C-alpha cells in the first residue's frame, strides 16, 4: 500500500467532501475535517464514524480563518490538503457575486497563505466543468475555458491563483479536479446530498419529488439539439468521484512533480438526458416520478460531457458505477433522511 498520509479536507462534511473522507480512510490515510457546517448536517462526522469505524477529528471553522487553518495544519502533521470548501449555487452566485468571491476566492487565498506559512506544499482543489466554455462534447482539459457565471469564475480564478502560487514556490504542486455532475450517495445510505430549501440540481430534485416533497419535477426544456430534446449531462457516482481524489492524491505525492499545477476531468465520458435520468430513477423507485416539461432554464447548455482519458492515462482512474447505481443509492439515502 502507498504511504499513509495525513490529509486536511476543507469542506469535508459536505456532500462530496464526506465521500472523499470515506475513500481516503478506506485507502489507509488519516483525515482531519475542517468545515463551517453552513451547508452540511451536524451529524455527518458521526455518520462517517459509523461508515469507517474511525473517529475523525473535526474542526468547526471557516477556511477564511487563516489562523485556525494554520493551527490545524501544524497540530495534525498534515501532508496534503484537499480543498472542497466553498459555495456552489449558480443562481445565488449571480444574485450575490461578492458573497461568492469572498467565500471561494477569500477562502482559497487564506488557505494558500496558511499552507505557505506552514510549509504544507501539496494541494488538490475541487474545481468544476463549469469553467469550460460552450462547445462540442466530449470536452478534454484543453477545451477553452469561459465560465458563464460568477460561481464558475470563482473556480477558474482560484485555479489561476493556484498556478501563480505554485510558480512562485508558495506551495509545491497542485491538482485541480474538474467535476462533471456528481450524483448518487454512499451505498450505506448514511451520507448523501439533501440540500436545504429547494434543490437547484436535478438529482436531489428528483429524489425529493419521489419522496413526496414536490408535486413534480420541472424538466427545463425539451427542444434542445439532443436525442430526446432534453439536456444531456455526464452524471458521475459520487463514490467514483471520491476515488478519483484518492488516485489524484497518489499522483500528487509522487516524487518528480514539483512546481506543477495539473488539471483533470472527473467524469464518465457518457451523457444521459433529463428524461433518461427520470426513467432510471423511476425504475429504482418502482413508480413513475411525476414531471412536466417547462421552459428552458437561463444559462443551461444542451450537452456537457467529459473526455476522461487524461485521468485514466495519468491517474489510472476511471468511473465504474452506472446510472442505475446512482439512482438506487440516492434513493436509499433519501429514504434514510426522509
Ligand atoms: N434540470 C431540470 N430540472 C431541474 C434541475 C435540472 O430539467 O429541476 C436539468 C437542467 O436543465 C440540466 C440537467 O437537468 O439539463 C442538469 O442540471 P443540474 O442543475 O443538475 O446541473 P448543471 O449541469 O446545470 O450544473 C452542475 C452543477 C454546477 C456545475 C456544473 C458543471 O450544478 O455547479 O454542473 O458543469 F458547475
Amino acid at each position: 500500500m502507498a504511504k499513509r498520509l495525513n490529509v486536511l479536507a476543507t469542506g469535508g462534511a459536505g456532500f462530496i467532501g464526506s465521500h472523499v473522507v470515506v475513500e481516503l480512510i478506506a485507502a489507509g490515510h488519516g483525515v482531519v475535517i475542517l468545515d463551517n457546517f453552513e451547508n452540511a448536517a451536524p451529524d455527518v462526522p458521526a455518520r462517517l464514524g459509523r461508515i469507517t469505524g474511525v473517529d475523525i477529528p473535526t474542526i468547526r471553522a471557516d477556511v477564511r480563518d487563516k489562523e485556525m487553518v494554520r493551527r490545524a495544519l501544524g497540530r495534525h502533521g498534515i501532508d496534503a490538503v484537499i480543498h472542497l470548501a466553498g459555495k456552489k449555487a449558480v443562481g445565488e452566485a449571480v444574485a450575490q457575486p461578492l458573497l461568492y468571491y469572498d467565500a471561494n476566492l477569500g477562502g482559497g487565498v487564506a488557505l494558500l497563505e496558511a499552507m505557505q506559512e506552514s510549509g504544507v506544499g501539496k494541494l488538490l482543489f475541487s474545481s468544476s466543468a463549469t469553467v469550460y466554455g460552450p462547445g462540442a462534447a466530449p470536452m478534454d482539459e484543453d477545451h477553452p475555458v469561459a465560465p458563464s457565471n460568477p460561481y464558475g469564475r470563482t473556480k477558474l480564478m482560484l485555479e489561476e491563483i493556484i498556478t501563480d502560487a505554485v510558480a512562485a514556490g508558495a506551495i509545491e504542486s497542485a491538482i485541480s479536479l474538474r467535476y462533471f455532475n456528481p450524483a448518487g450517495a454512499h451505498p450505506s445510505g448514511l451520507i448523501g446530498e439533501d440540500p436545504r430549501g429547494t434543490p437547484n440540481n436535478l438529482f436531489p430534485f428528483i429524489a425529493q419529488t419521489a419522496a413526496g416533497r414536490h408535486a413534480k419535477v420541472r424538466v427545463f426544456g425539451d427542444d434542445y439539439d439532443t436525442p430526446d430534446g432534453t439536456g444531456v449531462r455526464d452524471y458521475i457516482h459520487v463514490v467514483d468521484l471520491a476515488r478519483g481524489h484518492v488516485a489524484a492524491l497518489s499522483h500528487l505525492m509522487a516524487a518528480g512533480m514539483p512546481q506543477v499545477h495539473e488539471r483533470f476531468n472527473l467524469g464518465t465520458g457518457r451523457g444521459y438526458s433529463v428524461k433518461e435520468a427520470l426513467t432510471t430513477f423511476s425504475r429504482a423507485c418502482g413508480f413513475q416520478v411525476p414531471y412536466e416539461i417547462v421552459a428552458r432554464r437561463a444559462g443551461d447548455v444542451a450537452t456537457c460531457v467529459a473526455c476522461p482519458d487524461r485521468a485514466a492515462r495519468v491517474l489510472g482512474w476511471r468511473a465504474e458505477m452506472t446510472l442505475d447505481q446512482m439512482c438506487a443509492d440516492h434513493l436509499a439515502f433519501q429514504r434514510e433522511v426522509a
Side-chain angles (χ1 to χ4, degrees):
M1 200 187 75
K3 177 179 175 286
R4 182 184 194 276
L5 302 168
N6 283 327
V7 180
L8 180 74
T10 74
F15 170 46
I16 296 168
S18 57
H19 291 81
V20 169
V21 167
V22 170
E23 297 306 320
L24 286 169
I25 290 172
H29 300 303
V31 187
V32 177
I33 293 173
L34 185 134
D35 202 300
N36 66 5
F37 288 87
E38 191 182 291
N39 194 26
D43 63 349
V44 168
R47 288 168 178 260
L48 289 171
R50 282 167 67 191
I51 295 170
T52 62
V54 175
D55 189 9
I56 300 155
T58 301
I59 301 161
R60 191 187 186 99
D62 193 293
V63 71
R64 285 166 289 192
D65 185 345
K66 191 174 90 174
E67 194 42 46
M68 282 294 276
V69 177
R70 215 158 51 86
R71 241 182 286 157
L73 293 172
R75 198 170 286 169
H76 295 277
I78 297 296
D79 302 298
V81 176
I82 305 186
H83 180 45
L84 301 120
K87 297 176 82 65
K88 61 166 191 174
V90 174
E92 186 183 46
V94 171
Q96 299 184 70
L98 302 182
L99 193 68
Y100 272 65
Y101 289 118
D102 181 32
N104 293 5
L105 294 186
V109 171
L111 173 66
L112 286 163
E113 286 175 344
M115 289 176 70
Q116 180 179 25
E117 289 164 19
S118 309
V120 176
K122 304 283 190 179
L123 176 66
L124 273 190
F125 169 52
S126 285
S127 189
S128 168
T130 195
V131 299
Y132 292 123
M139 298 179 190
D140 68 14
E141 291 81 355
D142 298 323
H143 187 90
V145 289
S148 61
N149 60 69
Y151 161 69
R153 281 189 278 280
T154 67
K155 290 292 178 190
L156 183 59
M157 285 177 191
L158 190 49
E159 282 195 13
E160 289 171 347
I161 290 168
I162 291 168
T163 298
D164 290 340
V166 168
I171 65 167
E172 196 181 320
S173 53
I175 292 176
S176 289
L177 298 173
R178 293 174 171 170
Y179 307 158
F180 280 69
N181 288 59
H186 192 263
S188 64
L190 288 171
I191 51 171
E193 186 173 36
D194 184 37
R196 297 183 184 153
T198 306
N200 302 302
N201 295 123
L202 183 64
F203 265 81
F205 203 98
I206 295 178
Q208 290 190 1
T209 306
R213 282 160 68 177
H214 310 283
K216 285 175 186 173
V217 175
R218 291 178 306 146
V219 176
F220 296 136
D222 67 350
D223 57 351
Y224 284 105
D225 183 16
T226 60
D228 67 16
T230 64
V232 169
R233 294 291 182 276
D234 186 336
Y235 297 101
I236 173 168
H237 197 296
V238 63
V239 171
D240 272 332
L241 187 78
R243 290 178 181 154
H245 291 68
V246 177
L249 182 66
S250 303
H251 178 64
L252 183 67
M253 301 310 290
M257 61 164 291
Q259 290 205 300
V260 188
H261 176 200
E262 291 183 284
R263 277 93 165 162
F264 294 97
N265 286 340
L266 294 185
T268 68
R270 164 86 157 89
Y272 287 96
S273 72
V274 177
K275 279 193 176 163
E276 286 175 306
L278 273 163
T279 303
T280 311
F281 206 100
S282 299
R283 194 161 55 229
C285 298
F287 60 86
Q288 175 64 52
V289 179
Y291 70 90
E292 62 179 335
I293 310 290
V294 300
R296 290 183 179 192
R297 182 172 67 178
D300 276 352
V301 296
T303 303
C304 182
V305 177
C307 169
D309 294 351
R310 184 184 286 177
R313 200 176 59 246
V314 180
L315 306 179
W317 167 91
R318 259 193 199 283
E320 288 169 355
M321 298 164 94
T322 62
L323 189 67
D324 282 286
Q325 186 91 51
M326 296 177 218
C327 293
D329 291 339
H330 206 128
L331 187 64
F333 170 71
Q334 189 66 45
R335 289 188 171 142
E336 163 81 18
V337 296

